[in-house]
Amino acid sequence: HSNKQTLLYVNLEVVIMGNLIKVLTRDIDNNAGNFFLDFENAQPTEAERAVWEQVNEVLMEALAILDDLQSYNGAGEEIRQAIQNPSEDQVQERAWAAVVPLVGKLKKFYEFSLRLEGSLHGLLKALTSARCSPTQHLEQEQALARQFAEILHFTLRFDELKMTNPAIQNDFSYYRRTLNRMRINNVAAEEENEVNNELANRMSLFYANATPMLKTLSDATTKFVSDNTDLPIENTTDCLCTMASVCKVMLETPEYRSRFASEDTVSFCLRVMVGVIILYDYVHPAGAFVKSSKIEMKGCIKVLKDQPQSSVEGLLNALRYTTKHLNDETTSKQIKNMLQVN
């Protein structure tokens, strides 16, 4: 592995003009590449347009999905009443009427995860093709790199909201119990057309996961790599580690960071950095935490820990609990200690 050591060391120098990020990466492609990664203003070139437009449609919907999830209050009170008053039909009906539209929303979220998977495939195909190096891809296809970042940002945001909302699983399991009872009592439920049993099983698996969107994304990336056997796996992992490096350097350099037009850009970069680390950890056979990893993990964790705790606790937890290789023997004690819960 040692002949790759030179490749592994990424030296980054960052200049931001307004929100323009110029990153000089040395040795990541065996040639020094200068490129701009503009998370706020990158517009698609003609070559990118077809993929960009498809993904853009999905990203527009992603905003609506987050709004819906943020305002998801659940039917906790109605369900509690129904459980306490099992013989009062009116109370039962009220709970059912409250839960059915909510399950419609949960179905919409689940179906969206499948569309997200499709978009990710399109983006990865474009960003990892063998026609040029990972750095050149990110440099020449800024708008697609930005969309990839937006998908990661959406994914971590969705999972943060889902994790802190126990109503989702409570509502769904109440729905399933009630449907089963109706089936046993031969009560026709036209609502079953909305979510039939087979779909309910798939949704159950999806929502049982602590971070369902992240799982969708890591499964999709892993599948992309195994489906495209003609593509070296490095094409995908180098694309991920380059993005992680760019985010890290932007965040850890105060004089650059202070030039961000919006504070939101900081949380955007933090989420994207964590997202690509987790994907890398799933896709790379040895994971993101080994010594030979192309991602400078200690620096990335330090950047996270330097933020106000309340703003990054969810992201630190994502690294602690949703990565694949953190607890392997190959992970250094130092990294494990940095991620210990204080």
Side-chain angles (χ1 to χ4, degrees):
H1 219 59
S2 57
N3 64 333
K4 285 199 170 174
Q5 278 321 102
T6 46
L7 271 180
L8 302 181
Y9 190 71
V10 183
N11 212 342
L12 290 146
E13 183 182 318
V14 175
V15 184
I16 300 185
M17 290 124 67
N19 274 330
L20 213 54
I21 295 140
K22 181 184 186 184
V23 176
L24 172 63
T25 65
R26 276 192 273 285
D27 263 357
I28 197 158
D29 302 318
N30 279 335
N31 64 343
N34 284 345
F35 73 95
F36 292 95
L37 192 48
D38 181 356
F39 276 149
E40 286 198 355
N41 308 304
Q43 293 304 313
T45 57
E46 272 317 299
E48 296 168 279
R49 191 166 300 282
V51 175
W52 187 89
E53 279 173 355
Q54 283 173 322
V55 178
N56 193 47
E57 238 172 77
V58 175
L59 284 170
M60 296 313 266
E61 196 183 331
L63 292 173
I65 295 274
L66 285 180
D67 282 347
D68 258 3
L69 179 56
Q70 205 144 14
S71 60
Y72 186 103
N73 291 323
E77 190 44 44
E78 290 88 341
I79 292 173
R80 214 171 5 263
Q81 293 294 333
I83 291 169
Q84 282 165 6
N85 305 286
S87 52
E88 290 187 38
D89 288 353
Q90 208 179 349
V91 180
Q92 302 301 315
E93 277 158 25
R94 202 177 305 131
W96 184 242
V99 162
V100 167
L102 291 170
V103 169
K105 277 188 176 183
L106 296 180
K107 175 190 176 188
K108 192 171 85 176
F109 300 162
Y110 168 70
E111 286 174 340
F112 180 73
S113 75
L114 305 177
R115 294 189 54 203
L116 198 65
E117 203 176 319
S119 301
L120 186 70
H121 266 234
L123 281 176
L124 285 173
K125 218 173 182 51
L127 289 171
T128 61
S129 71
R131 81 184 166 75
C132 62
S133 73
T135 308
Q136 288 164 332
H137 268 299
L138 292 178
E139 181 181 10
Q140 292 162 15
E141 289 146 18
Q142 297 257 332
L144 297 186
R146 176 186 172 191
Q147 285 186 320
F148 183 39
E150 284 172 344
I151 285 180
L152 288 161
H153 182 260
F154 161 80
T155 298
L156 273 89
R157 187 72 193 112
F158 181 96
D159 287 347
E160 277 168 16
L161 289 168
K162 183 260 175 190
M163 262 180 174
T164 49
N165 193 341
I168 290 177
Q169 278 178 281
N170 294 343
D171 292 350
F172 195 61
S173 53
Y174 177 80
Y175 173 83
R176 298 203 72 185
R177 287 198 307 275
T178 310
L179 259 191
N180 287 336
R181 205 166 47 241
M182 288 171 150
R183 214 176 282 121
I184 291 163
N185 299 332
N186 286 324
V187 179
E190 67 275 11
E191 287 84 7
E192 197 174 347
N193 306 337
E194 180 70 19
V195 175
N196 63 28
N197 209 28
E198 192 241 346
L199 177 58
N201 286 335
R202 290 207 308 267
M203 282 171 65
S204 255
L205 284 173
F206 178 75
Y207 287 111
N209 202 287
T211 50
M213 284 292 171
L214 200 53
K215 178 156 175 41
T216 302
L217 232 53
S218 12
D219 289 353
T221 310
T222 309
K223 186 177 184 319
F224 172 81
V225 169
S226 58
D227 286 353
N228 294 277
T229 41
D230 54 323
L231 263 188
I233 187 169
E234 286 75 26
N235 287 30
T236 305
T237 52
D238 286 356
C239 167
L240 297 173
C241 75
T242 304
M243 281 187 84
S245 303
V246 173
C247 290
K248 169 179 149 312
V249 172
M250 280 158 42
L251 288 160
E252 70 189 359
T253 317
E255 57 271 33
Y256 305 140
R257 185 174 153 161
S258 63
R259 297 183 210 171
F260 281 147
S262 149
E263 200 40 45
D264 291 349
T265 311
V266 172
S267 65
F268 183 84
C269 288
L270 287 165
R271 280 209 183 90
V272 172
M273 180 181 78
V274 168
V276 285
I277 289 171
I278 294 170
L279 285 188
Y280 183 100
D281 194 47
Y282 270 87
V283 176
H284 195 287
F289 297 96
V290 288
K291 237 190 190 64
S292 60
S293 162
K294 292 190 186 182
I295 293 180
E296 212 268 280
M297 278 311 304
K298 287 174 200 158
C300 291
I301 298 168
K302 184 179 179 316
V303 166
L304 280 168
K305 299 195 89 164
D306 287 345
Q307 315 304 317
Q309 194 179 354
S310 58
S311 67
V312 291
E313 201 46 39
L315 295 175
L316 286 166
N317 283 339
L319 287 179
R320 285 172 188 134
Y321 307 123
T322 62
T323 45
K324 188 176 177 183
H325 294 282
L326 174 63
N327 295 316
D328 290 4
E329 308 216 313
T330 47
T331 302
S332 76
K333 282 205 168 57
Q334 196 182 355
I335 289 178
K336 286 182 182 166
N337 290 341
M338 287 178 86
L339 284 173
Q340 288 270 274
V341 181
N342 300 336

